[in-house]
């Protein structure tokens, strides 16, 4: 349940830097009654996911520019 709740909200935060992203997502989850430790774990996981997507997109742009 925490993952689905976080995923519904994290798209809005995806353009933020790490500190602000995590602070806002953790706060959002805690206000909805989730455990702070679980909220932090979820925020950490989703931040890594965002970073991986950013790296993939950057690599795709580089490949596209080379062609």
């Amino acid at each position: 349940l925490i993952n689905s709740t976080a995923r519904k909200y994290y798209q809005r935060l995806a353009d933020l830097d790490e500190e602000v992203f995590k602070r806002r997502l953790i706060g959002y989850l805690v206000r909805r009654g989730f455990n702070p430790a679980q909220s932090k774990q979820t925020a950490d996981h989703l931040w890594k996911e965002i970073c991986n997507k950013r790296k993939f997109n950057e690599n795709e742009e580089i490949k596209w520019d080379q062609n």
Side-chain angles (χ1 to χ4, degrees), residues 13-65:
L13 308 175
D15 293 332
L16 301 174
D17 64 57
E18 181 178 7
E19 181 182 342
V20 176
F21 171 87
K22 288 181 178 181
R23 185 180 67 236
R24 289 187 184 177
L25 183 57
I26 292 167
Y28 176 82
L29 294 170
V30 169
R31 285 191 304 276
R32 273 140 192 84
F34 293 102
N35 177 301
Q38 283 182 309
S39 298
K40 184 182 181 319
Q41 276 185 321
T42 301
D44 289 342
H45 174 76
L46 290 176
W47 179 254
K48 287 178 186 173
E49 193 173 292
I50 287 171
C51 289
N52 288 336
K53 285 181 182 179
R54 286 179 183 169
K55 287 178 187 174
F56 176 78
N57 288 338
E58 288 173 4
N59 289 337
E60 287 301 308
E61 287 177 19
I62 291 168
K63 289 178 188 175
W64 181 258
D65 290 341

